[in-house]
């Protein structure tokens, strides 16, 4: 079960056991979160490349082609690392067609050294024309997404 904050009840969520996508009523503003176990230890660069490929596929948020990406410093120690990537690109919005978008991808890779490996990732983005005025709100949404245990 997911618990999260949204600005009003017109915002839309789509979720599964491994993630949630929250978008504005127009679908222009998006906060996306996902996590998974992984068969082998992951490096931050491998996860970034995998997610860039996944974003390029058609989906409920539209296919995104990232044209530029700037990496922040990696933090943590081997087995538990985080990194943030600022990016720009174009998106095929499901209803509005091509949009120039910009966002931030937050990555976290984990490995306990005994075979338990995984990742979690957030991606927040908006049209370039709306990024400056909506980024703070998107970050509030991102920081207020929680998965609650069931049962």
């Amino acid at each position: 079960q997911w618990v999260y904050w949204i600005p009003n009840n017109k915002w839309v969520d789509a979720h599964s056991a491994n993630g949630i996508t929250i978008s504005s009523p127009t679908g222009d503003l998006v906060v996306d979160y996902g996590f998974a176990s992984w068969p082998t230890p992951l490096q931050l660069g491998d996860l970034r490349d995998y997610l860039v490929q996944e974003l390029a596929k058609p989906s409920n948020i539209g296919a995104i082609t990232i044209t530029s990406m700037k990496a922040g410093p990696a933090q943590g120690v081997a087995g538990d690392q985080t990194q943030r990537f600022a990016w720009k690109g174009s998106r095929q919005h499901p209803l509005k067609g091509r949009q120039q978008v910009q966002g931030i991808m937050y990555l976290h890779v984990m490995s306990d050294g005994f075979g338990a490996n995984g990742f979690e990732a957030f991606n927040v983005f908006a049209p370039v024309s709306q990024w400056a005025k909506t980024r703070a709100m998107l970050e509030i949404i991102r920081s207020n997404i929680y998965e609650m245990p069931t049962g």
Side-chain angles (χ1 to χ4, degrees):
Q1 178 178 344
W2 295 97
V3 177
Y4 51 91
W5 177 85
I6 53 175
N8 62 53
N9 64 3
K10 294 180 182 175
W11 282 62
V12 179
D13 77 296
H15 59 275
S16 69
N18 286 62
I20 185 168
T21 300
I22 299 171
S23 65
S24 64
T26 61
D28 288 337
L29 313 176
V30 176
V31 178
D32 196 26
Y33 170 73
F35 68 94
S37 58
W38 206 256
T40 58
L42 272 168
Q43 301 298 315
L44 289 164
D46 297 333
L47 178 57
R48 178 204 58 223
D49 294 347
Y50 169 75
L51 294 175
V52 166
Q53 290 176 12
E54 288 299 304
L55 286 171
K57 296 177 182 178
S59 71
N60 62 330
I61 60 173
I64 298 172
T65 302
I66 294 179
T67 55
S68 69
M69 183 175 273
K70 183 176 180 180
Q75 298 180 342
V77 295
D80 189 9
Q81 292 188 307
T82 61
Q83 192 168 19
R84 172 183 121 135
F85 297 86
W87 61 268
K88 289 185 179 180
S90 62
R91 169 190 184 202
Q92 186 62 38
H93 189 289
L95 302 173
K96 297 182 175 184
R98 181 79 46 206
Q99 288 181 324
Q100 296 305 305
V101 290
Q102 111 178 55
I104 300 175
M105 189 182 294
Y106 298 85
L107 306 183
H108 180 198
V109 295
M110 303 147 269
S111 176
D112 69 0
F114 299 99
N117 310 295
F119 73 87
E120 64 178 345
F122 285 95
N123 196 23
V124 299
F125 66 90
V128 171
S129 62
Q130 298 178 45
W131 179 248
K133 65 184 174 196
T134 60
R135 178 180 171 192
M137 178 184 58
L138 293 172
E139 294 290 358
I140 291 170
I141 295 169
R142 178 186 68 83
S143 64
N144 285 285
I145 295 175
Y146 307 97
E147 184 193 17
M148 303 301 287
T150 58

